[in-house]
Amino acid sequence: MDKPVCLIDTASDGKLCVQGSALQVLEQIQQPVVVVAVVGLYRTGKSYLMNRLAGKQTGFALGSTIESKTKGIWMWCVPHPTKAATTLVLLDTEGLGDVDKGDSKHDTNIFCLAVLLSSTLVYNSRGTIDNRAVEELQARAESAEQVELRTTTAEQTGPEIPTVEQKPTRVEKSKQEPTRVEQTEQKTYMPTACCSSLLGTSKKVMEYNLPRECIQKFFPSRTCFTFPFPTAPENVSLLGHLAKTYVDTISSGAVPCLENAVIAMAMIENQAAVKEGLEVYQSGMEKLKNSFPLELKVVSSEHQRLSSMATQTFMTRSFRDTDGKHLKSLEEKVNELFDGYLGQNEQASKKRCEDLLSSLSATMTEKLKQGVYAKSGGYDLFCKDLEDIVKKYNSQTNKEVKAEAVLKVFLKQKTVDSKAILQADKKLTEKEKKIKEKAILLEQEIKAKEEAQRQLLEKMEAERQSNEERMRQMKEKMDEEMRLQREEAERAMDSKLREQAALLEKGFQEKADRMSQEMEAFKRQNTEAESNRAREFAELLENSNKRHEESMAMMMQQHREQMKALQQQMSARCSGGCCIL
């Protein structure tokens, strides 16, 4: 983006609304994002700070009067200065405390949205950070206590999940007022373990802590609190969904709830992931369709490759599909498409086989018209000509999926002629006529069923391999998510340990002790979250395997029925002692 755009504005009815043009900008970005939002009183230089973070002198509007210049929330997406292939999303918010706005809730809504959408929140304050500045920030944070982490009902059991509170701890009073930022700077974190469990470990902790020397450089008389939150979206698509969900909720007068937002966001993202996976599969199969008809094993092999690609595409974008519902949907839709392409391949094969038989049997058709077979010994001549046609046909269609089925239909059509010729042939005895009539089509029916059986076994093998590949990809994603969750927990713990050490160094023993209790609680929560995720994944695997086993059971039942029919026909052929015609 060469300049900022408005992300959230105020509509004519006074309610906040997300700008569609901004969402379109976000949809075009395909990189991970780090979201930095700035909040603070109006006319305190927030826009200037964000311009400098973007590496520009201008961009976000700068006011020249005491009136607030920025309205709503403006967005600027720029390359991250230190992380390759990452986008830095800067959010400049409307100044707080402007009495001319006349709506006290408006500031609260702006502040809440900044908290909910950012991975790092910068609170800009006039002058040095003293007790008044901390209390001012605390008042703003307390206004955001209405944001819930999870909804609770009377039926829910277990420990109560705390609501999200972005509230810095009050600075303990001392005999001397603090004069340095280091003495009073406070950081607080959202309940990381709870959020990890809620959002899933694919949500990386993305921190962009502003260098202190950078802030002093920009504002010698101003300082900023920075809060790295572990719940910001990791890509711009999620950011856009979150923004719209939160704004719609706030505009409706309801309380923003992280869990509800995540559920809605997961639904949108997973539906999009299913669509992208299907597009990958369908695009590849459409190219293959240009070469139809093909052997079943060729079509099945390409199906397996594209199905694996579709699953990988889904896995890459999917978000919080804990019950595997959307993965199942993708699997079912891919199989539906596969059956459709198998049908199209069969139709192409059928047409090719029919055209070939029409060409090969042209001479026989002419002989029938001329009555060549309507004489003594004509049946044997008819059988010989028909046998020649079958041999030539088989030599040219040995890889066609509908070769046997089309030949069966062709021979059935010829039974009318063969019966008439057989009855007219005075050379054969009545007993020979009955035996030959009984043998008509029997061998070909057996061949057709044998081919259908072979194709069923090939399809079962393709499904088995596809399921193994899905399981492998799911296990790979699970391992990666667990690794990211552990890294996230380690980063959060390191940050807390540093904070505790700083408190001890400054003599805040009581606060340090409370930090120890918080860290123990954090460890327990993180262990529980990891255990829950492992359980969810195990259930997902179990459900997927169950679906596969059910599918295999149906195919095996079909296999047994076909084998039974085949065995009966083989017995009939053996008792008759005859071959084709």
Side-chain angles (χ1 to χ4, degrees):
M1 295 174 58
D2 55 355
K3 62 181 180 180
V5 297
C6 183
L7 175 63
I8 299 173
D9 201 359
T10 304
S12 57
D13 59 0
K15 295 182 179 180
L16 295 173
C17 60
V18 178
Q19 297 297 305
S21 57
L23 294 180
Q24 291 177 359
V25 171
L26 292 176
E27 290 173 357
Q28 297 173 5
I29 303 174
Q30 302 297 321
Q31 295 180 336
V33 295
V34 173
V35 186
V36 178
V38 61
V39 295
L41 296 177
Y42 71 102
R43 297 299 298 131
T44 55
K46 299 186 303 299
S47 299
Y48 175 72
L49 171 61
M50 300 307 270
N51 286 339
R52 295 307 301 269
L53 288 178
K56 305 291 184 180
Q57 294 291 337
T58 60
F60 289 110
L62 303 178
S64 57
T65 68
I66 62 172
E67 294 180 356
S68 175
K69 185 69 175 177
T70 302
K71 301 297 182 183
I73 298 179
W74 284 66
M75 173 187 73
W76 199 357
C77 302
V78 297
H80 196 286
T82 60
K83 296 181 179 180
T86 301
T87 297
L88 175 62
V89 180
L90 300 173
L91 300 180
D92 186 20
T93 65
E94 181 175 344
L96 307 176
D98 188 350
V99 296
D100 291 336
K101 285 185 289 190
D103 185 0
S104 59
K105 290 185 179 180
H106 186 78
D107 282 357
T108 299
N109 293 339
I110 293 293
F111 185 88
C112 286
L113 287 170
V115 169
L116 292 168
L117 296 177
S118 61
S119 49
T120 294
L121 176 68
V122 180
Y123 184 83
N124 192 36
S125 174
R126 285 196 186 95
T128 58
I129 297 181
D130 51 19
N131 281 346
R132 179 181 177 183
V134 173
E135 290 173 358
E136 185 178 85
L137 175 57
Q138 181 169 336
R140 297 296 178 190
E142 286 175 345
S143 68
E145 289 183 8
Q146 60 181 305
V147 179
E148 296 178 350
L149 178 61
R150 283 180 173 166
T151 56
T152 56
T153 63
E155 291 78 10
Q156 288 179 322
T157 59
E160 180 180 357
I161 302 297
T163 57
V164 175
E165 297 183 10
Q166 299 301 335
K167 185 190 302 182
T169 307
R170 288 181 181 273
V171 179
E172 292 184 354
K173 292 184 179 180
S174 61
K175 294 181 180 179
Q176 183 179 0
E177 284 290 318
T179 57
R180 298 196 312 163
V181 174
E182 290 83 354
Q183 288 179 306
T184 59
E185 181 180 305
Q186 304 294 320
K187 290 185 181 181
T188 60
Y189 296 85
M190 297 174 79
T192 308
C194 295
C195 293
S196 296
S197 174
L198 181 62
L199 296 173
T201 52
S202 62
K203 287 250 184 251
K204 305 176 180 65
V205 177
M206 295 170 292
E207 300 184 5
Y208 185 74
N209 291 318
L210 305 182
R212 181 170 283 105
E213 61 270 19
C214 179
I215 299 173
Q216 302 296 340
K217 178 180 178 180
F218 295 157
F219 301 97
S221 62
R222 297 178 177 85
T223 50
C224 303
F225 292 107
T226 60
F227 301 89
F229 301 147
T231 59
E234 66 175 350
N235 63 59
V236 288
S237 177
L238 297 181
L239 177 61
H241 294 328
L242 275 177
K244 192 170 188 320
T245 300
Y246 289 137
V247 168
D248 290 347
T249 301
I250 291 174
S251 297
S252 69
V255 176
C257 175
L258 284 178
E259 183 177 47
N260 292 342
V262 168
I263 291 173
M265 182 173 61
M267 178 68 71
I268 295 172
E269 279 300 290
N270 288 330
Q271 288 175 348
V274 170
K275 182 180 178 182
E276 286 187 7
L278 285 176
E279 287 174 351
V280 167
Y281 178 83
Q282 195 165 12
S283 175
M285 291 300 286
E286 284 295 315
K287 293 178 182 177
L288 183 69
K289 190 174 74 171
N290 295 330
S291 302
F292 283 176
L294 296 168
E295 288 184 77
L296 177 61
K297 65 179 181 181
V298 175
V299 181
S300 296
S301 176
E302 188 66 2
H303 158 72
Q304 288 174 236
R305 186 183 73 84
L306 293 171
S307 178
S308 176
M309 291 176 61
T311 301
Q312 185 60 50
T313 300
F314 172 84
M315 292 288 188
T316 300
R317 179 162 185 178
S318 66
F319 171 66
R320 199 64 186 162
D321 186 30
T322 53
D323 58 0
K325 179 177 67 176
H326 291 88
L327 179 60
K328 178 184 177 182
S329 174
L330 174 65
E331 178 185 338
E332 291 174 347
K333 290 179 179 179
V334 164
N335 288 335
E336 287 177 8
L337 287 174
F338 180 44
D339 289 340
Y341 285 115
L342 287 178
Q344 294 178 56
N345 187 55
E346 290 176 356
Q347 286 298 316
S349 176
K350 179 182 177 183
K351 186 177 187 307
R352 178 181 288 182
C353 292
E354 288 174 343
D355 291 345
L356 178 60
L357 277 174
S358 178
S359 175
L360 293 174
S361 62
T363 302
M364 172 181 278
T365 302
E366 189 62 29
K367 286 183 178 180
L368 285 168
K369 290 180 180 179
Q370 295 176 3
V372 174
Y373 305 118
K375 59 184 180 180
S376 180
Y379 184 77
D380 288 338
L381 179 62
F382 176 81
C383 289
K384 182 179 181 303
D385 288 347
L386 188 57
E387 205 170 303
D388 289 341
I389 293 172
V390 171
K391 285 181 180 179
K392 291 178 181 178
Y393 173 83
N394 286 334
S395 67
Q396 298 180 48
T397 61
N398 61 335
K399 294 183 179 181
E400 293 289 345
V401 294
K402 297 297 289 184
E404 300 298 339
V406 170
L407 181 58
K408 174 185 173 182
V409 172
F410 173 77
L411 293 177
K412 188 174 183 179
Q413 292 171 348
K414 294 302 177 185
T415 56
V416 176
D417 297 325
S418 66
K419 286 180 179 180
I421 294 171
L422 178 62
Q423 294 302 320
D425 196 333
K426 299 178 181 179
K427 183 178 179 181
L428 298 174
T429 65
E430 289 300 320
K431 183 178 180 180
E432 288 175 328
K433 290 179 180 180
K434 289 182 178 179
I435 292 175
K436 288 182 178 291
E437 185 174 351
K438 183 178 179 182
I440 292 174
L441 291 178
L442 181 58
E443 186 169 335
Q444 186 55 39
E445 286 183 359
I446 293 174
K447 286 183 178 180
K449 280 190 166 54
E450 286 176 341
E451 176 61 20
Q453 181 67 14
R454 184 187 66 80
Q455 292 182 15
L456 175 62
L457 292 174
E458 280 191 14
K459 188 175 181 181
M460 290 175 65
E461 177 61 18
E463 174 57 25
R464 184 191 65 79
Q465 294 182 13
S466 295
N467 185 68
E468 287 182 354
E469 177 61 20
R470 280 194 299 272
M471 295 301 100
R472 186 194 68 78
Q473 292 187 18
M474 289 168 63
K475 178 65 165 58
E476 187 178 85
K477 183 173 184 180
M478 170 63 178
D479 292 341
E480 176 66 10
E481 288 183 349
M482 297 299 287
R483 182 186 67 81
L484 292 173
Q485 181 170 330
R486 284 190 288 269
E487 290 180 357
E488 176 181 329
E490 289 171 1
R491 283 194 296 267
M493 183 59 69
D494 288 343
S495 179
K496 289 179 180 291
L497 288 171
R498 289 194 300 270
E499 184 176 351
Q500 184 185 43
L503 289 171
L504 288 172
E505 183 180 351
K506 296 163 190 172
F508 298 140
Q509 182 64 48
E510 184 179 347
K511 289 183 177 293
D513 292 340
R514 286 203 299 270
M515 282 291 297
S516 295
Q517 296 175 2
E518 290 177 9
M519 285 187 286
E520 288 301 319
F522 170 77
K523 289 179 182 178
R524 291 193 300 271
Q525 291 172 342
N526 188 66
T527 301
E528 182 181 352
E530 188 168 337
S531 175
N532 290 339
R533 188 69 185 109
R535 186 185 68 255
E536 290 171 353
F537 178 72
E539 291 175 354
L540 183 60
L541 283 181
E542 182 180 354
N543 291 336
S544 181
N545 279 324
K546 184 178 180 181
R547 292 196 304 271
H548 173 67
E549 290 171 1
E550 290 174 352
S551 177
M552 290 296 99
M554 291 178 61
M555 289 187 179
M556 285 302 298
Q557 179 62 26
Q558 186 179 354
H559 168 72
R560 285 190 292 268
E561 291 174 357
Q562 289 186 357
M563 285 298 295
K564 183 178 179 180
L566 188 59
Q567 289 170 357
Q568 291 174 348
Q569 289 191 319
M570 290 290 287
S571 298
R573 182 176 68 172
C574 293
S575 63
C578 301
C579 59
I580 186 169
L581 296 179

